[in-house]
Amino acid sequence: MAAERGTAAEALVGKVVLPGDLLLLPAHYDEDAEGERLRLSAGAAPQGRLLCGPGLRRSGAGLLVTKCGLLRHRPAGGGAYWVDSQQKRYVPVKGDHVIGIVTAKVGDLFRLDVGGSEPASLSYLAFEGATKRNRPNVQVGDLVYGQFVVANKDMEPEMVCIDSSGKSSGMGIIGQDGFLFKVSLGLIRKLLAPKCEIIQELSQLYPFELVLGMNGRIWVKAKTVQQTLIIVNILEACEYMTAEQRKQALAKLSGN
Amino acid sequence: SVSPGDTSVLAGLYGPAEAKLSKELPDRAALEVLLRPKVGLPGVMERSREQLLRQTCEAVVLGVLHPRTAITLVLQVLSDAGSLLSCCLNAACMALLDAGLPLAALFCGVTCALQPDGTILLDPTARQEQEARAILTFAIASSERKVLMANTKGSCSVEEMQQCLAAAQRAADTVFQFYRSSVCRRYSKC
């Protein structure tokens, strides 16, 4: 069986990779040249634990790319590789903070639409300070910000609005008014990066409240409806605008 | 939308979304392909093309990562000037790539027309298709140029089919280069 042509993972960091590309890890270069028998027994992991992130799958001696995008690498803690891809469809992942819309109340559970393939479930006891006597006031159609405790391909996703110590830390029912809209997942990740320029520039324009869900949903509330809509339009357009165009648009608005 | 020459197909992909109980599979995603012709209602030709596309896509999509979901691929023919099936295959692959579905490999479609005198024409126009003795369409995967699907209309000998296959595998390189350059262009704007 001919060895698959693979390229060194480090050489492709920051470049576009396509599904089907095979990436070779540093510890396995020599073993590949020595033929098939050594390759089978060289299933030992390289030094440290290498994390295989979204868009990659372990295959034999290397990593198989399954999504198109830019390859990223983080050398800390044994190293991690992942593919930065643009996507609009959300797939629930454990630990992600998302905005869900309550669609039904089934006994002691709420069913939430999180934009994935299945509705997520949320127990009424998963709020801060909730007991059997003291139920949270959640109606159908409310917005809830929570995180996933169970999210794998085989089970229905489950959400909670408290963290491991029992505090709500910003999660829970999102208040009245405001505007909910959907953007692509790549934009959300850009906005969640520390010291994001877009958010800093917008905050100099008007004061506003912002909730970002990893499922592509953003909730905005400003003092007046007009200000809210302006912020919504800028955030939606940020996907396609370059930094200069954005600065020009904001300068025009703050000049008015 | 993808168009070699004047044939043009628009592809839209929806998924992984909730599947109807009757259609959901317990261990992998249920893939459905809908092909709409330019005029008229979908007929038997469209149904057979849908099945060919579905089997090709199922071979590359990692459906085990999304069990009990439905992935729907809708293709609309905008104009047909020959080589329609390979154009649909290319559009389907680009839609899968664009939507971010996990794929084991990429694939492309190449059509070969076998002329009565034995010459091989790649990506024939409608007129060349009518004059040809046989039309062969191949779906070729990006990993080691394996053949995922072969469709033949007309008759040809085994050697001729092997020659067409070799020509198609060489032509597949050009299509994969095109995929790579369009993806690079898209990600250069980020």
Side-chain angles (χ1 to χ4, degrees):
Chain A
M1 191 172 82
E4 278 232 5
R5 283 178 302 120
T7 32
E10 294 148 343
L12 288 174
V13 172
K15 298 222 179 82
V16 170
V17 287
L18 290 178
D21 290 350
L22 194 69
L23 304 174
L24 293 171
L25 297 169
H28 291 102
Y29 292 155
D30 303 317
E31 284 134 12
D32 264 336
E34 306 213 15
E36 201 184 304
R37 210 180 292 168
L38 271 178
R39 205 144 53 102
L40 281 175
S41 64
Q47 305 93 344
R49 251 180 40 176
L50 189 76
L51 200 62
C52 183
L56 295 170
R57 265 172 93 78
R58 275 204 182 274
S59 110
L63 300 173
L64 180 70
V65 180
T66 57
K67 289 193 189 177
C68 74
L70 297 163
L71 186 67
R72 302 269 187 229
H73 174 58
R74 188 187 69 204
Y81 285 99
W82 72 93
V83 178
D84 225 347
S85 68
Q86 289 280 42
Q87 230 181 297
K88 282 176 132 180
R89 185 88 201 168
Y90 178 66
V91 173
V93 170
K94 183 172 168 182
D96 265 2
H97 292 256
V98 294
I99 299 180
I101 304 175
V102 181
T103 52
K105 242 191 208 181
V106 183
D108 290 337
L109 281 184
F110 302 115
R111 288 245 173 275
L112 299 166
D113 165 38
V114 288
S117 59
E118 273 182 299
S121 69
L122 172 65
S123 162
Y124 76 97
L125 289 172
F127 290 87
E128 186 176 5
T131 60
K132 288 197 179 146
R133 301 264 176 98
N134 181 17
R135 287 166 184 250
N137 183 16
V138 178
Q139 306 302 323
V140 172
D142 275 354
L143 295 176
V144 175
Y145 183 64
Q147 67 177 349
F148 284 115
V149 285
V150 171
N152 52 41
K153 59 185 169 79
D154 300 309
M155 290 166 62
E156 178 193 53
E158 287 175 29
M159 273 178 63
V160 288
C161 287
I162 51 173
D163 61 15
S164 45
S165 59
K167 300 273 166 54
S168 71
S169 59
M171 296 188 271
I173 308 166
I174 296 179
Q176 295 298 316
D177 304 330
F179 192 90
L180 180 78
F181 62 103
K182 193 169 184 323
V183 292
S184 80
L185 308 186
L187 180 63
I188 298 278
R189 286 198 297 262
K190 227 194 316 188
L191 291 170
L192 279 172
K195 298 206 188 107
C196 172
E197 285 180 351
I198 306 176
I199 306 240
Q200 282 173 346
E201 286 168 17
L202 275 177
S203 57
Q204 280 157 7
L205 197 61
Y206 310 119
F208 60 93
E209 268 182 79
L210 182 71
V211 179
L212 297 167
M214 294 288 292
N215 52 347
R217 293 186 181 160
I218 304 182
W219 180 85
V220 182
K221 181 175 170 187
K223 273 202 208 124
T224 67
V225 174
Q226 200 186 20
Q227 288 179 356
T228 312
L229 289 174
I230 290 174
I231 296 174
V232 166
N233 285 332
I234 294 179
L235 283 171
E236 274 180 338
C238 271
E239 242 188 292
Y240 304 110
M241 282 203 294
T242 59
E244 288 86 40
Q245 287 169 329
R246 196 180 61 231
K247 290 192 171 81
Q248 280 172 8
L250 285 169
K252 246 195 298 184
L253 281 167
S254 52
N256 283 357
Chain B
S1 60
V2 177
S3 45
D6 296 317
T7 313
S8 185
V9 173
L10 189 66
L13 192 102
Y14 305 95
E18 192 149 2
K20 281 191 222 166
L21 273 174
S22 56
K23 291 207 181 139
E24 71 175 11
L25 297 165
D27 57 339
R28 43 191 185 87
L31 186 68
E32 193 187 356
V33 179
L34 298 167
L35 179 61
R36 299 263 173 268
K38 186 174 167 198
V39 282
L41 290 168
V44 179
M45 266 317 283
E46 278 72 38
R47 291 273 169 266
S48 74
R49 288 202 178 116
E50 281 170 16
Q51 289 306 313
L52 289 171
L53 286 161
R54 194 176 68 80
Q55 276 154 5
T56 316
C57 292
E58 278 195 347
V60 290
V61 169
L62 293 168
V64 287
L65 293 176
H66 299 289
R68 299 182 329 276
T69 61
I71 301 174
T72 313
L73 177 64
V74 182
L75 296 156
Q76 170 68 55
V77 178
L78 297 173
S79 65
D80 182 4
S83 314
L84 183 63
L85 185 55
S86 59
C87 190
C88 290
L89 281 164
N90 293 333
C93 185
M94 294 226 81
L96 287 168
L97 204 54
D98 194 55
L101 248 78
L103 301 173
L106 294 175
F107 61 90
C108 77
V110 183
T111 311
C112 299
L114 205 55
Q115 303 283 68
D117 57 357
T119 47
I120 300 174
L121 273 176
L122 289 175
D123 283 334
T125 61
R127 158 169 293 183
Q128 287 165 343
E129 275 185 353
Q130 273 175 336
E131 294 166 351
R133 182 160 39 105
I135 302 168
L136 300 98
T137 309
F138 299 104
I140 297 171
S142 62
S143 54
E144 294 169 7
R145 304 289 177 266
K146 290 202 184 124
V147 178
L148 294 173
M149 189 269 295
N151 187 33
T152 316
K153 181 173 165 192
S155 62
C156 63
S157 69
V158 178
E159 295 86 30
E160 283 165 344
M161 185 179 177
Q162 296 291 343
Q163 281 169 359
C164 286
L165 184 54
Q169 280 172 330
R170 280 193 297 272
D173 287 331
T174 331
V175 186
F176 290 132
Q177 264 312 105
F178 170 71
Y179 286 170
R180 196 168 278 271
S181 61
S182 30
V183 172
C184 285
R185 213 166 356 140
R186 184 182 179 209
Y187 281 92
S188 67
K189 289 185 197 156
C190 288

